[in-house]
Amino acid sequence: MTVRGDFKEPARPRPDLVIGREELFTGAREQLSGGGSVLVHGPAGIGKSTVLRALVSEYTESAQTVLRCSATESESHLPFLALADLLGLVVDEVSAQLPGPQRTALESALTGRGESTLQRDGLALRLAVLSAFRALAAQGPVLVVADDLQWLDPASAELLGFAARRLGGMPVRMLCAVRTDTEPQGQRHDRYLRASPPDTLAVRLNPLSRAHVAELLGQRGYTGLPRSTVRDIHRTSGGNPLFALELGRALAESPTPPSPGEPLPVPTSLSALVLSRLEMLSAEARRTLLVASAGARPTLALLHAAGRENAEAETASAASLGLLATEREAPVIRFAHPLVSAALYAQASAQERRAAHAALSEAASDPIERARHLALAATGTDPDVAARLGEAAAAARDRGAPSVAAGLGLLAARHTPPDTVPGPDERRLQAAEDALTAGETDLARDIARQVLARATVPADRVRAWMVVIDAAGQAMAEIDAVFPQALADAGEDPRLLALVRYQLAWRALLMDGEMAKAREEAACAAELAALAGDRPTELLALGFQAQMETLMGHPGAPATIQRAMREPQDPRVACDHNGAGAARFRWLIMGDQLAEARTTITALLREVRRRGMVESEVHFLRGLAETELRSGHCGRALDLARESLRLARDTGIGEAATAMFTSLAEAAGGDVDQALTLAQEAVDRAEEDGDLIYLSRALGALGHAQLVAGDASATVRSLRRVRELEERLGVVDPARGRWHGDLAEALVRIGEPDEAQDVIDATRKQALRLGRESVLAVLDRAEALVRAARGEQGIATRQLTAAQDRLRKLGYGLEEARAAYALAGLRAARPGPTSYDEATRLFRRCRALPWLRQVETASAALPAASPLASTDPDSLAAASLDSLAATERQVAALVMEGATNREIAARLFISVKTVEATLTRVYRKLGIRSRVDIVRLAVGHRPG
């Protein structure tokens, strides 16, 4: 098929076309934009054709001629078919320009009217195809699009490869896709790469992440799937987008979705891919593979113990059919794709599955695995089976595998008779709490709702309500009607009332924005829990009370923290993100004790990871990132914040709060545009949830990102809202959000120094009362800018110098660098020499890339002394180099060492484009033309 240059297609692909492929797509786009060719490869269903279509939609308009072919397996035996697709519609345009023998051979091959073959007309045909491409290229750029290269008929593949290898210098780009092995180490694409233009970029499409699979399912209309189901889809599909969509479709069409722990329904469209090969195995070999598919980590030893005597020969036969992956020296038997295992298990009858699990219940060495297989082999209720499953769930919980514990707990509930202790509902509620710990909030909520639908025991009902409330997270407005029902179920029982009052404390904070009320509810919950002897709930309530008192600047905060830290402690609560340890961390970091805060949060993070407490892990990753950011370790902070955001997105836990903090980290050490996007996302989510506490934090992050982006007016608008919100909420500790200095600085920039001074004076009063030294130093930095705006340059300079020194002693590296930057800016405004060297050094030490870019801009704006002011060569060289800004001198110095632009970018933590732009300014300032001239100038400058 041929498309002429005036054929219009969409200029940009739909966003769903490249989910999870953004980086690869960008690389392919750059390759094509530079005139190169691209070969996309990967296993079946991985999205090669989708990416191909997306790229073609961008580059069709830039090509005079677009040639297309898409081969199929059923037609791969027909000679010259792909060639006919490519050139059939343009042969009349170019045939007149071909020599007679070439024209005859090509027309014969394309029409099939002659007896042309590669053996008889090989050279003429090869030259004809090459000449045709040259003739088309003479008219304008040519884009050759070929999908499924593996099915190209051999004759066409040979001719296309011959021409491709000789296209150098011609405006012909090739965009091709080929199916290759599932394994990344497979190199089947190499032979296709050798048959492509020399500058071809090979792009391998790898499996999608779980988050990208969830996004893909949502874009295709499969919404509302529980995260645990999405996890199963991702595991079963192996991240293959086609397989994931087919599994999603099967679930959408299924009248009864699988219960937690049950296998997904495998649609015929997918099972057919493997069942035909399974039919080539003997019945005994299929039984062996079924046992392997039922096991968690099947090995030959396990299969032997499960009664599969000929496991070696049978697995070897399966491997030869491509059903098992062949790995030398690997003890674990691995299916070639998770779909093979899923289809095999789904095809088996219930009786066959139970037999496989029964065999594994005796053969497995791990007690947790034995209990799971025992449950799956049994039918009906059985107290012994239920007890073994309960013990296995407790063991999994102790191992830090709460997700496994939740699955075992549900199996235990299924096998628990209704008149036993613990009963089925109690086991279900424990499973729901384990699911919460594992971050599977949707599963936990569903289990709790099932219990509430039939439970009559008040303790079970209140416990279920607590799961529903915890699963809602910050979005408490969605479950506000739950609280009266929970209070009614609690009655006068102090233990149950303590649980509900603790959640009411959160409601008062998140929904009403009333810190004082939240503190009162938490104190009430702590008293009730102490009366009932419920130490875990008492500790959680005290931890929450301490956090409120810290934010309110309440003098009782240290005493409450001490009460919460006393023995006896509950090991799980001690490391919970709402426990006393977290409250103590917040107290430390707000009190400028950064080293101790880092030690505390690192220990907490290590413990929650050991226990598998996902929500706490999200919180503590943020806390450690905050500590690193305060310390000026922007690169480390950014890595931690991004890790926290990935985990939050994957689990749906704390997404708004994590986006808010990741915005701060991006603004400090990453990408300012991304910082703005994340902050706005956090603002939108907090407003949607009615969460006033995080709305103020999100607006603070947005204002900071706007300041770094250079939009002072927007900064003022955002941070004025923060000021109003915090006054309404009763937040008096300025160390909570640390936005006050940013607001004052932005007000100075827009010409409002009086309001800036008002912000500084009001904040300083609270900071002095609470002893917030770093806040006071930042306020001094902002006040110096106010003084400078009023013409008090000398006082401003001294105040900035003192502020920088205080921040350095406190260990606030980024704030110290900002003070040095402001000081250089004051000096630049006065006549005489000035330098941004110190600010550059400090920002580079922090890896504060956005701030480094600001320094570059400021340095470039400094007046440069003319290099022609001296006639002495040595003086001329010295004057020339001294006329450069700090970053320009550093780049020039590295050029003198022989560093490439990419090496310079890596060493200075800037982009290659920034290096190129800096060199352009260097050339202009020094009156030179190239890197060689820099070296010559430097040689002339050196003595001797």
Side-chain angles (χ1 to χ4, degrees), residues 453-472:
R454 57 176 174 266
T456 57
V457 178
D460 288 347
R461 291 188 62 80
V462 171
R463 192 174 171 188
W465 287 127
M466 296 305 100
V467 171
V468 171
I469 294 169
D470 282 335

Side-chain angles (χ1 to χ4, degrees), residues 51 146 185 189 315 354 398 483 496 551 562 577 660 683 763 782 848 858 888 912 922:
V51 170
Q185 62 266 30
H189 73 281
T315 54
R354 286 197 297 271
D398 290 341
F483 291 97
L496 301 181
L551 294 175
Q562 287 300 318
H577 59 282
M660 174 274 297
V683 169
T763 308
E888 293 165 353
V912 174
V922 169

